[in-house]
Amino acid sequence: IRLTEIISALDILLLIFLIVQQQIQHIKAVRENHILSKKAYLDVHTGLPNKSRCEDLLNSSGFITEPLCFVMFDIKNLKEVNDTLGHAAGDSMIANFAHILRKVVPEKDFVGRYGGDEFIAVIYNSTKDEVTEILNRLDNEISEFNELGKAFKISYAHGCAFSSDYKDCTLKTLFDKADKYMYDNKQAEKAGR
């Protein structure tokens, strides 16, 4: 009987050990999945949400019921920087713009890298004056950066679309409008050269 009790106790200890080991592996797997999930939506180069996350945001929202502004940004002359100074300089230009953009747009608002040289910002519960102030701060920060004498100067075009200007609009609607206004902005600047 004593031997049976010892074997039973060892079986129970072994079972407890296996359960604990399985729980540890489960916790590690959950942690790794969380990290992978974050990476799936993170632009590694800028630290901002990537195009997949931006697309999810655009496609997941219904009609907008609060005042917000959608801003589309495009870094100008990236191809020229890549061609003349190399891709490392172009990558640096993108990373610096992303850092400055995230710095001036309030934390509560969304900032993401939509594509190669395109970024978006969704500024929630905002007025046109508040957005203008954010864009002015962006201009000031870019000017300060450019005065540092880097090999490249950052310049950008942007377009804004406000939910208050459209009835029954979605983020996708505002994206399309902001993208058009950004393109118009780029074309107007090219024509003014």
Side-chain angles (χ1 to χ4, degrees), residues 70-158:
F70 192 101
V71 190
M72 187 83 181
F73 298 94
D74 181 87
I75 299 175
K76 296 191 289 187
N77 303 323
L78 179 63
K79 182 178 178 351
E80 182 181 316
V81 169
N82 282 337
D83 291 348
T84 58
L85 301 173
H87 287 275
D91 289 347
S92 180
M93 176 185 257
I94 289 168
N96 283 303
F97 181 79
H99 172 74
I100 293 168
L101 185 59
R102 182 69 271 180
K103 179 179 172 182
V104 300
V105 175
E107 279 297 315
K108 68 176 180 60
D109 300 318
F110 181 86
V111 175
R113 184 176 181 192
Y114 190 72
D117 59 357
E118 293 181 334
F119 294 82
I120 64 171
V122 180
I123 304 170
Y124 299 96
N125 296 314
S126 59
T127 64
K128 292 182 181 184
D129 288 341
E130 290 168 336
V131 172
T132 299
E133 176 59 31
I134 290 169
L135 294 174
N136 286 339
R137 282 198 316 266
L138 179 61
D139 284 343
N140 291 338
E141 290 286 334
I142 295 291
S143 291
E144 285 180 24
F145 175 85
N146 287 339
E147 288 173 8
L148 295 175
K150 300 279 186 188
F152 56 84
K153 303 287 184 209
I154 297 176
S155 64
Y156 66 95
H158 74 279

Side-chain angles (χ1 to χ4, degrees), residues 12-25:
I12 290 171
L13 286 174
L14 181 61
L15 185 59
I16 291 171
F17 173 76
L18 291 173
I19 290 171
V20 169
Q21 186 179 24
Q22 188 176 26
Q23 286 299 324
I24 291 170
Q25 288 176 344

Side-chain angles (χ1 to χ4, degrees), residues 8 13 18 42 44 55 78 88 93 107 148-149 157 162 182-183 191:
S8 294
L13 286 174
L18 291 173
L42 188 69
V44 192
E55 289 287 344
L78 179 63
M93 176 185 257
E107 279 297 315
L148 295 175
F162 293 87
M182 181 194 65
Y183 179 77

Side-chain angles (χ1 to χ4, degrees), residues 158-174:
H158 74 279
C160 298
F162 293 87
S163 62
S164 58
D165 292 342
Y166 305 97
K167 186 177 166 121
D168 297 330
C169 68
T170 64
L171 277 179
K172 184 70 171 135
T173 306
L174 295 180

Side-chain angles (χ1 to χ4, degrees), residues 33-53:
N33 284 341
H34 180 70
I35 291 168
L36 289 174
S37 176
K38 269 182 117 171
K39 284 183 178 181
Y41 284 113
L42 188 69
D43 177 59
V44 192
H45 189 66
T46 63
L48 296 176
N50 64 13
K51 183 169 182 153
S52 294
R53 178 65 185 103

